[in-house]
Amino acid sequence: MAEANLDPVFQIQRVYLKDLSLEQPNSPEILLNQEQPSVDIQLGVNAAPVADGLFEVTVTATVHTQIADKTVFMVEAKQAGIFEIRNIQAEQIGSILGIACPQIVYPYLRSNVADIIQRGGFPPVHMAEINFQAMYEQQQVEAAAAAVAPPQIIV
């Protein structure tokens, strides 16, 4: 009888671009404006099981540039990866999905966002490196605080 292999497994199955859009709602007029636009970058991480021992981790970015109250351009991107995670203690899986997996996926997202912005006729926006461990720990603190906070009653 063959023994089951219980060695820990963590490996990438696939990394892929899940969604990408570029909007320039005020072109071409806004392109004539010489002011420096403000840049707002929002990031998010989501993880979900897709099969036994397989998880999809998606890192999302929204890059919104404006001059005054007019949008210059907005990019929304989702980069995802499928990861095999087996024989790892349950309490460690959350940090793997929230730290290790996004660190693998994020460089692909950064590259795709910079590329689409440049292809749209703009100087590339280089998104900074992210400390996913600090981000994950902050989310854990916020989740714990929300779980402990009494429900708010509105009268």
Side-chain angles (χ1 to χ4, degrees):
M1 177 152 69
E3 291 184 28
N5 183 355
L6 297 179
D7 290 340
V9 175
F10 173 69
Q11 60 185 4
I12 304 167
Q13 296 294 316
R14 176 170 292 187
V15 175
Y16 56 98
L17 182 62
K18 191 166 183 163
D19 188 20
L20 179 64
S21 71
L22 168 67
E23 298 174 23
Q24 298 183 42
N26 294 300
S27 292
E29 297 83 14
I30 196 81
L31 301 175
L32 302 175
N33 193 323
Q34 297 300 312
E35 291 180 57
Q36 279 293 101
S38 63
V39 179
D40 177 45
I41 300 173
Q42 300 293 319
L43 292 173
V45 175
N46 187 40
V50 292
D52 183 40
L54 295 176
F55 297 86
E56 179 189 56
V57 175
T58 306
V59 181
T60 60
T62 302
V63 179
H64 189 202
T65 60
Q66 289 183 255
I67 295 176
D69 63 341
K70 291 196 178 245
T71 295
V72 179
F73 68 84
M74 184 165 69
V75 171
E76 295 174 316
K78 290 182 182 180
Q79 188 79 39
I82 297 175
F83 297 88
E84 182 178 6
I85 303 172
R86 296 183 192 280
N87 305 324
I88 294 180
Q89 296 176 2
E91 60 271 7
Q92 292 179 323
I93 291 178
S95 62
I96 291 170
L97 294 173
I99 300 169
C101 296
Q103 286 176 329
I104 293 168
V105 172
Y106 183 67
Y108 295 93
L109 176 70
R110 286 179 64 202
S111 176
N112 284 325
V113 168
D115 183 56
I116 194 69
I117 290 170
Q118 196 167 11
R119 288 177 185 267
F122 301 98
V125 171
H126 296 289
M127 298 182 340
E129 290 291 328
I130 301 296
N131 182 340
F132 284 101
Q133 181 170 350
M135 187 178 184
Y136 177 77
E137 289 170 358
Q138 179 64 33
Q139 289 171 341
Q140 296 304 311
V141 167
E142 289 171 2
V148 172
Q152 190 175 24
I153 300 173
I154 300 173
V155 180

